[in-house]
Amino acid sequence: MAHKKLSISLPPDLYEQAEAVRKAEHRTRSELVREALRSYIERSRRIPVVEPTSQEARMFKDGWKAYKANEYVTLEELHNEMAGSHK
């Protein structure tokens, strides 16, 4: 099978990390990138993409509007309120 070439740019810190792993594992850069891509693709297949129903989309939109208008309680506030109702 003929291989295709791929050029990528990495930030210096990520490049150095990749080089350290490559050297420690006695691998080529190509082997390291191939395995990383295979792993990424495999993981992405296990995460289903779910389209929200129209009701869910509307609820999300309403929730976002409430958040922007500061019409919400924090999780801590909710816990405190719930703890107070049990007394």
Side-chain angles (χ1 to χ4, degrees):
M1 170 174 62
H3 286 76
K4 300 283 186 173
K5 290 191 178 196
L6 172 69
S7 296
I8 61 171
S9 298
L10 300 174
D13 59 327
L14 184 56
Y15 177 84
E16 293 302 326
Q17 291 174 32
E19 282 296 291
V21 170
R22 180 187 73 77
K23 289 176 183 175
E25 296 182 3
H26 307 288
R27 304 168 85 164
T28 66
R29 287 182 192 101
S30 291
E31 289 171 329
L32 187 66
V33 171
R34 279 193 294 268
E35 183 174 334
L37 285 170
R38 284 186 195 109
S39 177
Y40 179 84
I41 291 167
E42 178 61 29
R43 270 191 325 233
S44 69
R45 287 182 181 151
R46 286 185 260 147
I47 301 171
V49 176
V50 179
E51 289 294 322
T53 64
S54 58
Q55 181 183 10
E56 291 168 335
R58 188 172 51 256
M59 291 170 69
F60 179 80
K61 189 175 180 181
D62 292 346
W64 189 243
K65 283 181 187 175
Y67 173 76
K68 286 182 172 181
N70 278 341
E71 296 171 354
Y72 63 91
V73 295
T74 65
L75 184 57
E76 182 179 2
E77 291 169 337
L78 179 61
H79 284 172
N80 291 339
E81 184 178 321
M82 291 175 66
S85 68
H86 287 96
K87 292 181 180 178

